[in-house]
Every structure is written in structure tokens, then in C-alpha cells.
Amino acid sequence: MLALEVAILSEMGGRKANEDACGHWHSVDELCCVLADGAGGHGGGGVAARLVVERMLQGFAARPTTGARQLTDLVFDTNRAVIEARTPHTERANMFSTVVGLVIDFVRHQVHWAHAGDSRLYWFREGRIHARTRDHSLVQSLVDAGLLPPEQARSHPQRSELRSALGTASDVLEVSDSGEPHEVLAGDVFLLCTDGLWEHVPDAALLATLAAASSPTAWLAALEQVVTEATRQKASHDNFTALTVWTSAAPAA
């Protein structure tokens, strides 16, 4: 069995409201973590993000997923809930949200995930990035097509333009997942974060701060400092949210 430590960071940044949301729930053998970044104007993004996290966690609690296909189905169910919650002429009229969901089976040492949009999952092992989700965004499409160098993606003027997000018609919604469950090793670290964080924290800074951190909370505090320094001259920078899970070998009974 694995022991898990979870820590959360969610800051308003330079905005008037925080339209990010995240949360987690666990059963006797699985942990489910969900993070969302809302959009839609007039507060609708915050409503959407909170709805996404709530529905994902409630859905998982009612029927824990055992693989990525089931988690993707839950994302599509949640997408329908976002569409159904829209109300014309209110803050909910045009709301959307990204989502990234992570499930760790800490008894069987397995992990699976699913996501839509540009909120990311990073998986770290032995001081390196072991895996990362690929954004559903215009900029990622340009990088994939060889039309934009990866190092220019963070500063591209259209970096926030999404190809997929919850609130989109189900027949065109793009959801990506991890495929078959992957083995988790003691010492692995997972990070879910919105673009308000990863945009300002290059991979080298992620790795350096993780290597220097003594705990999940200390790591997120260091990431917050990196974002704060990077946005010192950007008064209206985005909300930024992160949820991290650190794994270790559970003590013997």
C-alpha cells in the first residue's frame, strides 16, 4: 500500500475573483483529485469550475472508476451537467471549464487520469517529468504541427485559446486520458495545475523547486513564489491553482 500526502494552493492572482476550483475524495483504496479552471464572464467561470469539481467527485464517490475509460465517461457526464446548468441572461449563460481528474489506487499501486482543456497533470519520478498531459489548445496544435517552437508556447498571444472545454457539445468535446492503468512507485509525485501556474513556471523551475522541497506544502509555497516573481509587472495576471499528491511507502502494519 502507498501512503499519500495532498496539498492545495489556489490564489486569485491579479483578478477580482478566483474562477479556479479543485478538490479530492478517497475511498478505502482510491484517491480521486479534480481541478478545474472556469471561463464565461460575469462570474460564470467560477460557477462552472465549482460545478465540475463537485460533479466529478460526487460521480466518483457513487461509482469509483477502475480505469481511464470510466473516468472519461464521467467527464462526459459532467460536461452534460455544465450544459444543463446554463441559464440564459444570467452569469451561467455561457460558462465553460477545463478539467483534469486523477485517480490513484493506493492499494494496487495504479494510476489513471483524464482531462479536457489546458489545465495540466504532471507526473514526476526520480527528479524528472515522467509524464504530462497535452493541452487541448490552439498553441499546442501549432507546436504539434511543427509551426511553433515549444519554447515559444508560453508567450504566444493566443496561448489561452482552447480547442476543448466542458460546456462544449458532447459530439465535439475532446477528452484525452491515460489509457491503461499505469504503475505508481513510492516516491512518485503528481501535480494538477491551471494555466495560471504553469504559464509562469518552466519545467526547470518545477524540477528545481520539487528537488528542494521538504513537503508538498513547502513545494506549493515555492511555486507560488515563482509565479509571484514572474507576474510582478503583470497586474491582471490569472488565478493560479495547484493540487499535488506525494506518494511514499506506507509504514508496516
Side-chain angles (χ1 to χ4, degrees):
M1 182 177 290
L2 292 169
L4 307 179
E5 290 184 84
V6 179
I8 289 173
L9 165 72
S10 190
E11 295 294 330
M12 196 178 304
R15 303 292 172 84
K16 294 181 179 179
N18 190 346
E19 296 194 324
D20 294 346
C22 66
H24 56 91
W25 183 89
H26 68 86
S27 63
V28 296
D29 55 2
E30 288 185 302
L31 169 72
C32 178
C33 301
V34 181
L35 178 142
D37 180 357
H42 308 292
V47 174
R50 290 189 295 272
L51 172 62
V52 166
V53 172
E54 178 181 308
R55 287 301 183 101
M56 286 285 291
L57 292 178
Q58 286 179 347
F60 182 84
R63 184 177 294 179
T65 63
T66 57
R69 183 66 256 174
Q70 290 176 297
L71 190 60
T72 294
D73 290 343
L74 180 55
V75 171
F76 275 96
D77 288 343
T78 302
N79 182 59
R80 287 188 283 272
V82 171
I83 294 172
E84 291 168 2
R86 284 180 169 158
T87 307
H89 313 299
T90 72
E91 65 179 9
R92 301 183 180 207
N94 194 35
M95 59 184 186
F96 294 88
S97 178
T98 68
V99 66
V100 54
L102 167 73
V103 175
I104 300 174
D105 185 324
F106 47 85
V107 175
R108 298 174 183 84
H109 294 211
Q110 293 183 335
V111 62
H112 60 273
W113 63 81
H115 85 287
D118 64 352
S119 292
R120 291 181 177 180
L121 165 71
Y122 291 84
W123 180 2
F124 301 88
R125 175 174 289 171
E126 295 181 348
R128 298 187 181 94
I129 295 175
H130 185 61
R132 175 178 77 75
T133 54
R134 299 181 72 80
D135 306 331
H136 299 125
S137 67
L138 172 64
V139 165
Q140 185 63 59
S141 296
L142 295 175
V143 171
D144 291 344
L147 300 175
L148 182 72
E151 61 272 16
Q152 293 181 18
R154 281 185 167 87
S155 58
H156 194 279
Q158 293 174 284
R159 63 189 174 277
S160 297
E161 188 171 326
L162 298 181
R163 289 197 336 261
S164 181
L166 302 196
T168 304
S170 293
D171 59 342
V172 295
L173 176 67
E174 184 177 357
V175 180
S176 298
D177 63 48
S178 55
E180 293 300 317
H182 299 275
E183 183 183 12
V184 182
L185 302 182
D188 285 356
V189 171
F190 298 88
L191 175 71
L192 284 63
C193 62
T194 60
D195 65 326
L197 186 133
W198 65 253
E199 178 184 339
H200 304 292
V201 187
D203 291 354
L206 282 174
L207 296 173
T209 52
L210 177 59
S214 59
S215 68
T217 302
W219 185 36
L220 294 189
L223 293 179
E224 179 180 9
Q225 187 60 36
V226 173
V227 175
T228 299
E229 290 295 331
T231 57
R232 199 168 293 281
Q233 304 301 321
K234 301 176 183 178
S236 62
H237 70 95
D238 201 0
N239 315 139
F240 58 98
T241 297
L243 184 156
T244 187
V245 184
W246 285 27
T247 72
S248 59

